[in-house]
């Protein structure tokens, strides 16, 4: 059993913290939103009065925050403009030698900055973003992608295993975030490709089920089709069957593809599909359906394609 502080008890953080409690850890939590903190307390998390109080006696501090800006502000107490939520910041409030584990999805550069700040403050730090969504966070079946020094990975592996099914050491600091944005670049592009294929199949007279039965057992098979199928019917558990309630919100996909686009720019990699997917999801999230599951992109493709007779130019 470890004394764990959990900061950021939102859609992902709350069920993750609850699974740590179930595994026998003593978890002290904090969230800026009182309602989120109260809900976590119902699952056995000790509610702290502030972020500083939550980490004061912790051996391990887990953060699950919206973005790199939130992470750096929480670590340092203030953002680049000197504004902050109050308190000294997590790095100053924790005991020297505390192990900081950031599970948020953030920019690779922000992850490395956060790591360096933690080490400069006398702590140890790893990045450990997740895949698996709220369903995986609740069922403790997440995949953790860990960027860490070897000794830190050993120390964190068991705790992460209480919240997930797979814990992969991806290399040194920032390595976890690098793996996460590469995965989500594949995911965004594959969902667009699968959705385009369904709309084309509709126009060519194929039923969704027939196209699914072929592609799911042929060379086009992928997670976007067989688990998160963007049309209702073939995969009854996919968000398309419940009016595209997430799942994985389009706004989060737009965010992750934006992080991939930043990394492409920083590294000079010419990834035309990845950049185009980022533009498509940014427009979709801003103009249409930010809180729908990202598979709702199929509806935008269908709408953009006009009516079948307009598309074919057939006025009869
Ligand atoms: P969320 O917005 O539901 O939760 C974030 C929480 O952090 C909020 O409750 C907010 O009040 C709190 N917070 C922000 N700043 C804080 C501070 N300084 N101190 C304390 N609390 C603070 O977001 P989420 O869906 O739980 O996602 C969290 C992270 O996980 C994001 O980086 C996201 O990209 C990533 N992620 C989400 C999913 C998903 O399906 N939701 C899947 C994989 C990864």
């Amino acid at each position: 059993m470890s004394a764990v502080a959990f900061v950021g008890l939102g859609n992902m953080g709350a069920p993750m913290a609850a699974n740590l409690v179930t595994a026998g850890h003593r978890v002290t939590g904090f969230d800026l939103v009182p309602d989120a903190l109260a809900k976590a307390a119902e699952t056995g998390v000790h509610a702290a009065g502030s972020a500083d109080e939550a980490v004061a006696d912790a051996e391990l501090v887990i953060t699950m925050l919206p973005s790199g800006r939130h992470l750096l502000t929480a670590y340092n107490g203030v953002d680049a403009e000197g504004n902050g939520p109050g308190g000294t910041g997590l790095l100053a409030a924790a005991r020297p030698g505390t192990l900081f584990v950031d599970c948020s999805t953030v920019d690779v550069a922000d992850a490395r900055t956060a790591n360096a700040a933690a080490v400069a403050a006398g702590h140890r730090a790893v990045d450990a973003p997740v895949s698996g969504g709220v369903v995986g966070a609740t069922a403790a079946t997440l995949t953790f992608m860990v960027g860490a020094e070897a000794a830190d990975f050993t120390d964190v592996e068991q705790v992460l295993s209480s919240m997930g099914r797979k814990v992969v050491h991806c290399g040194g600091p920032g390595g976890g975030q690098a793996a996460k944005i590469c995965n989500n670049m594949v995911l965004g592009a594959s969902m667009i490709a699968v959705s385009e294929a369904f709309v084309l199949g509709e126009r060519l007279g194929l039923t969704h089920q027939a196209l699914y039965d072929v592609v799911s057992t042929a060379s086009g098979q992928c997670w976007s089709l067989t688990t998160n199928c963007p049309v209702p019917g073939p995969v009854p558990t996919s968000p398309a069957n419940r009016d595209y309630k997430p799942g994985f919100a389009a706004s989060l996909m737009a965010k992750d593809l934006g992080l991939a686009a930043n990394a492409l720019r920083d590294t000079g990699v010419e990834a035309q599909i990845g950049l185009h997917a980022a533009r498509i999801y940014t427009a979709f999230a801003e103009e249409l359906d930010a809180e729908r599951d990202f598979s709702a992109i199929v509806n935008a493709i269908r709408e953009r394609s006009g009516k079948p007779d307009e598309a074919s130019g057939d006025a009869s």
Side-chain angles (χ1 to χ4, degrees), residues 7-8 10-12 31-33 64-66 104-105 130 133 252 255:
V7 179
N11 292 325
M12 295 291 289
D31 195 291
L32 291 175
V33 176
M64 194 55 169
L65 301 168
S104 331
T105 304
V130 303
L252 289 177
K255 171 197 155 187

Side-chain angles (χ1 to χ4, degrees), residues 52-253:
D52 290 2
E53 185 188 315
V55 305
D57 294 319
E59 296 159 58
L60 199 100
V61 175
I62 299 179
T63 42
M64 194 55 169
L65 301 168
S67 70
R69 183 175 57 81
H70 291 88
L71 172 66
L72 292 171
T73 304
Y75 271 19
N76 298 321
V78 287
D79 63 16
E81 282 81 45
N83 303 313
T88 64
L90 305 181
L91 299 182
R95 289 185 305 207
T98 299
L99 183 51
F100 278 77
V101 183
D102 179 46
C103 294
S104 331
T105 304
V106 310
D107 216 276
V108 176
D110 284 343
R112 293 193 170 130
T113 302
N115 185 285
V119 171
H123 303 300
R124 300 183 293 149
V126 311
D127 50 292
V130 303
S131 177
V134 176
V135 171
T138 306
T141 56
L142 294 169
T143 294
F144 285 88
M145 299 154 243
V146 185
E149 304 299 345
D152 295 339
F153 177 75
T154 304
D155 286 351
V156 89
E157 189 178 10
Q158 201 191 348
V159 175
L160 297 182
S161 297
S162 321
M163 300 181 284
R165 191 159 46 195
K166 185 126 185 102
V167 183
V168 183
H169 190 193
C170 299
Q177 298 294 350
K180 169 77 183 172
I181 60 171
C182 288
N183 177 72
N184 279 22
M185 192 169 76
V186 174
L187 179 62
S190 68
M191 181 55 80
I192 293 167
V194 167
S195 298
E196 289 180 348
F198 270 115
V199 176
L200 177 61
E202 290 167 6
R203 293 293 164 90
L204 295 174
L206 293 171
T207 65
H208 291 159
Q209 191 65 50
L211 186 58
Y212 178 86
D213 288 346
V214 171
V215 180
S216 63
T217 52
S219 45
Q221 190 271 341
C222 61
W223 188 93
S224 292
L225 177 73
T226 58
T227 300
N228 221 70
C229 186
V231 294
V235 179
T237 50
S238 79
N241 298 282
R242 44 177 205 273
D243 200 23
Y244 298 93
K245 289 199 179 65
F248 186 50
S251 55
L252 289 177
M253 176 50 84

